[in-house]
Amino acid sequence: MNIASAADFVVFGLVLHVSIINETEHLPSRENDWKTIQNGMAIVFISIYSALYAVSVVGEKNSQLIDAYTILWVSVGVAATSTAISFIIIYRLSKRSAR
């Protein structure tokens, strides 16, 4: 029995990046350049998660084609990267609102 699957980490990462997009929508227009970079990065990560989800579903159906263990650890790595990016963005937003 597996405690977590690749799909769990994919959903976690998707939630993080959708939250980033939502939080950056409330920035003033003078920060449009930073907002555009963050939204673009979030969209790239959402695309990566979409591909990971598709590969994980195929891997669950056909274990001979795709190694589910490898996909799990790739998903964990990408989710850890997303977590670090989210902390950095939330830190900057909270520092901005403290002014």
PDB file of all heavy atoms in Angstrom, residues 12-27:
ATOM      1  N   PHE A  12      -0.996  18.887  -5.350  1.00  0.00           N
ATOM      2  CA  PHE A  12      -0.401  19.840  -4.415  1.00  0.00           C
ATOM      3  C   PHE A  12       0.288  20.983  -5.167  1.00  0.00           C
ATOM      4  O   PHE A  12       0.096  22.159  -4.865  1.00  0.00           O
ATOM      5  CB  PHE A  12       0.592  19.122  -3.496  1.00  0.00           C
ATOM      6  CG  PHE A  12       1.343  20.031  -2.571  1.00  0.00           C
ATOM      7  CD1 PHE A  12       0.695  20.678  -1.528  1.00  0.00           C
ATOM      8  CD2 PHE A  12       2.700  20.236  -2.742  1.00  0.00           C
ATOM      9  CE1 PHE A  12       1.394  21.521  -0.664  1.00  0.00           C
ATOM     10  CE2 PHE A  12       3.412  21.075  -1.886  1.00  0.00           C
ATOM     11  CZ  PHE A  12       2.747  21.723  -0.853  1.00  0.00           C
ATOM     12  N   GLY A  13       1.078  20.648  -6.164  1.00  0.00           N
ATOM     13  CA  GLY A  13       1.770  21.661  -6.961  1.00  0.00           C
ATOM     14  C   GLY A  13       0.814  22.540  -7.742  1.00  0.00           C
ATOM     15  O   GLY A  13       1.016  23.753  -7.846  1.00  0.00           O
ATOM     16  N   LEU A  14      -0.224  21.940  -8.284  1.00  0.00           N
ATOM     17  CA  LEU A  14      -1.221  22.733  -9.005  1.00  0.00           C
ATOM     18  C   LEU A  14      -1.890  23.746  -8.090  1.00  0.00           C
ATOM     19  O   LEU A  14      -2.075  24.907  -8.463  1.00  0.00           O
ATOM     20  CB  LEU A  14      -2.271  21.816  -9.641  1.00  0.00           C
ATOM     21  CG  LEU A  14      -1.830  21.041 -10.866  1.00  0.00           C
ATOM     22  CD1 LEU A  14      -2.901  20.026 -11.259  1.00  0.00           C
ATOM     23  CD2 LEU A  14      -1.528  21.967 -12.027  1.00  0.00           C
ATOM     24  N   VAL A  15      -2.228  23.326  -6.885  1.00  0.00           N
ATOM     25  CA  VAL A  15      -2.853  24.233  -5.921  1.00  0.00           C
ATOM     26  C   VAL A  15      -1.899  25.378  -5.576  1.00  0.00           C
ATOM     27  O   VAL A  15      -2.314  26.539  -5.496  1.00  0.00           O
ATOM     28  CB  VAL A  15      -3.292  23.467  -4.651  1.00  0.00           C
ATOM     29  CG1 VAL A  15      -3.670  24.415  -3.536  1.00  0.00           C
ATOM     30  CG2 VAL A  15      -4.453  22.541  -4.980  1.00  0.00           C
ATOM     31  N   LEU A  16      -0.625  25.080  -5.394  1.00  0.00           N
ATOM     32  CA  LEU A  16       0.347  26.130  -5.100  1.00  0.00           C
ATOM     33  C   LEU A  16       0.404  27.172  -6.212  1.00  0.00           C
ATOM     34  O   LEU A  16       0.365  28.378  -5.957  1.00  0.00           O
ATOM     35  CB  LEU A  16       1.739  25.536  -4.892  1.00  0.00           C
ATOM     36  CG  LEU A  16       1.985  24.768  -3.603  1.00  0.00           C
ATOM     37  CD1 LEU A  16       3.377  24.157  -3.620  1.00  0.00           C
ATOM     38  CD2 LEU A  16       1.815  25.661  -2.398  1.00  0.00           C
ATOM     39  N   HIS A  17       0.470  26.717  -7.445  1.00  0.00           N
ATOM     40  CA  HIS A  17       0.627  27.657  -8.548  1.00  0.00           C
ATOM     41  C   HIS A  17      -0.654  28.420  -8.868  1.00  0.00           C
ATOM     42  O   HIS A  17      -0.596  29.589  -9.253  1.00  0.00           O
ATOM     43  CB  HIS A  17       1.212  26.962  -9.765  1.00  0.00           C
ATOM     44  CG  HIS A  17       2.655  26.639  -9.568  1.00  0.00           C
ATOM     45  ND1 HIS A  17       3.634  27.611  -9.582  1.00  0.00           N
ATOM     46  CD2 HIS A  17       3.276  25.480  -9.298  1.00  0.00           C
ATOM     47  CE1 HIS A  17       4.800  27.046  -9.341  1.00  0.00           C
ATOM     48  NE2 HIS A  17       4.606  25.744  -9.165  1.00  0.00           N
ATOM     49  N   VAL A  18      -1.789  27.802  -8.689  1.00  0.00           N
ATOM     50  CA  VAL A  18      -3.048  28.536  -8.844  1.00  0.00           C
ATOM     51  C   VAL A  18      -3.157  29.598  -7.750  1.00  0.00           C
ATOM     52  O   VAL A  18      -3.612  30.722  -7.998  1.00  0.00           O
ATOM     53  CB  VAL A  18      -4.257  27.569  -8.837  1.00  0.00           C
ATOM     54  CG1 VAL A  18      -5.560  28.324  -8.717  1.00  0.00           C
ATOM     55  CG2 VAL A  18      -4.255  26.720 -10.099  1.00  0.00           C
ATOM     56  N   SER A  19      -2.684  29.270  -6.554  1.00  0.00           N
ATOM     57  CA  SER A  19      -2.679  30.249  -5.461  1.00  0.00           C
ATOM     58  C   SER A  19      -1.740  31.413  -5.764  1.00  0.00           C
ATOM     59  O   SER A  19      -2.059  32.568  -5.459  1.00  0.00           O
ATOM     60  CB  SER A  19      -2.258  29.584  -4.149  1.00  0.00           C
ATOM     61  OG  SER A  19      -3.171  28.587  -3.794  1.00  0.00           O
ATOM     62  N   ILE A  20      -0.604  31.125  -6.377  1.00  0.00           N
ATOM     63  CA  ILE A  20       0.324  32.192  -6.765  1.00  0.00           C
ATOM     64  C   ILE A  20      -0.349  33.131  -7.763  1.00  0.00           C
ATOM     65  O   ILE A  20      -0.278  34.357  -7.629  1.00  0.00           O
ATOM     66  CB  ILE A  20       1.629  31.603  -7.354  1.00  0.00           C
ATOM     67  CG1 ILE A  20       2.458  30.948  -6.258  1.00  0.00           C
ATOM     68  CG2 ILE A  20       2.439  32.680  -8.077  1.00  0.00           C
ATOM     69  CD1 ILE A  20       3.619  30.135  -6.778  1.00  0.00           C
ATOM     70  N   ILE A  21      -0.997  32.563  -8.760  1.00  0.00           N
ATOM     71  CA  ILE A  21      -1.688  33.389  -9.750  1.00  0.00           C
ATOM     72  C   ILE A  21      -2.749  34.241  -9.071  1.00  0.00           C
ATOM     73  O   ILE A  21      -2.871  35.437  -9.352  1.00  0.00           O
ATOM     74  CB  ILE A  21      -2.293  32.511 -10.866  1.00  0.00           C
ATOM     75  CG1 ILE A  21      -1.170  31.903 -11.714  1.00  0.00           C
ATOM     76  CG2 ILE A  21      -3.248  33.321 -11.736  1.00  0.00           C
ATOM     77  CD1 ILE A  21      -1.641  30.868 -12.710  1.00  0.00           C
ATOM     78  N   ASN A  22      -3.490  33.662  -8.156  1.00  0.00           N
ATOM     79  CA  ASN A  22      -4.541  34.400  -7.453  1.00  0.00           C
ATOM     80  C   ASN A  22      -3.955  35.535  -6.616  1.00  0.00           C
ATOM     81  O   ASN A  22      -4.476  36.650  -6.621  1.00  0.00           O
ATOM     82  CB  ASN A  22      -5.350  33.457  -6.569  1.00  0.00           C
ATOM     83  CG  ASN A  22      -6.472  34.165  -5.876  1.00  0.00           C
ATOM     84  OD1 ASN A  22      -7.255  34.877  -6.494  1.00  0.00           O
ATOM     85  ND2 ASN A  22      -6.552  33.991  -4.566  1.00  0.00           N
ATOM     86  N   GLU A  23      -2.885  35.269  -5.894  1.00  0.00           N
ATOM     87  CA  GLU A  23      -2.293  36.294  -5.033  1.00  0.00           C
ATOM     88  C   GLU A  23      -1.668  37.428  -5.837  1.00  0.00           C
ATOM     89  O   GLU A  23      -1.737  38.580  -5.436  1.00  0.00           O
ATOM     90  CB  GLU A  23      -1.247  35.683  -4.099  1.00  0.00           C
ATOM     91  CG  GLU A  23      -1.833  34.857  -2.986  1.00  0.00           C
ATOM     92  CD  GLU A  23      -2.745  35.647  -2.072  1.00  0.00           C
ATOM     93  OE1 GLU A  23      -2.425  36.804  -1.735  1.00  0.00           O
ATOM     94  OE2 GLU A  23      -3.799  35.109  -1.708  1.00  0.00           O
ATOM     95  N   THR A  24      -1.053  37.122  -6.956  1.00  0.00           N
ATOM     96  CA  THR A  24      -0.413  38.175  -7.736  1.00  0.00           C
ATOM     97  C   THR A  24      -1.424  39.040  -8.485  1.00  0.00           C
ATOM     98  O   THR A  24      -1.088  40.139  -8.923  1.00  0.00           O
ATOM     99  CB  THR A  24       0.614  37.602  -8.734  1.00  0.00           C
ATOM    100  OG1 THR A  24      -0.024  36.665  -9.593  1.00  0.00           O
ATOM    101  CG2 THR A  24       1.776  36.967  -8.002  1.00  0.00           C
ATOM    102  N   GLU A  25      -2.643  38.581  -8.620  1.00  0.00           N
ATOM    103  CA  GLU A  25      -3.680  39.377  -9.281  1.00  0.00           C
ATOM    104  C   GLU A  25      -4.013  40.642  -8.507  1.00  0.00           C
ATOM    105  O   GLU A  25      -4.548  41.592  -9.065  1.00  0.00           O
ATOM    106  CB  GLU A  25      -4.943  38.548  -9.501  1.00  0.00           C
ATOM    107  CG  GLU A  25      -4.834  37.558 -10.627  1.00  0.00           C
ATOM    108  CD  GLU A  25      -4.498  38.207 -11.949  1.00  0.00           C
ATOM    109  OE1 GLU A  25      -5.150  39.199 -12.338  1.00  0.00           O
ATOM    110  OE2 GLU A  25      -3.553  37.737 -12.608  1.00  0.00           O
ATOM    111  N   HIS A  26      -3.704  40.679  -7.236  1.00  0.00           N
ATOM    112  CA  HIS A  26      -4.055  41.817  -6.388  1.00  0.00           C
ATOM    113  C   HIS A  26      -2.930  42.845  -6.266  1.00  0.00           C
ATOM    114  O   HIS A  26      -3.026  43.757  -5.459  1.00  0.00           O
ATOM    115  CB  HIS A  26      -4.463  41.322  -4.996  1.00  0.00           C
ATOM    116  CG  HIS A  26      -5.569  40.323  -5.029  1.00  0.00           C
ATOM    117  ND1 HIS A  26      -6.844  40.647  -5.408  1.00  0.00           N
ATOM    118  CD2 HIS A  26      -5.590  38.993  -4.770  1.00  0.00           C
ATOM    119  CE1 HIS A  26      -7.611  39.562  -5.365  1.00  0.00           C
ATOM    120  NE2 HIS A  26      -6.860  38.544  -4.979  1.00  0.00           N
ATOM    121  N   LEU A  27      -1.878  42.680  -7.063  1.00  0.00           N
ATOM    122  CA  LEU A  27      -0.753  43.613  -6.997  1.00  0.00           C
ATOM    123  C   LEU A  27      -1.081  44.907  -7.748  1.00  0.00           C
ATOM    124  O   LEU A  27      -1.820  44.890  -8.738  1.00  0.00           O
ATOM    125  CB  LEU A  27       0.499  42.974  -7.602  1.00  0.00           C
ATOM    126  CG  LEU A  27       1.103  41.823  -6.818  1.00  0.00           C
ATOM    127  CD1 LEU A  27       2.246  41.212  -7.597  1.00  0.00           C
ATOM    128  CD2 LEU A  27       1.572  42.295  -5.460  1.00  0.00           C
TER     129      LEU A  27
END
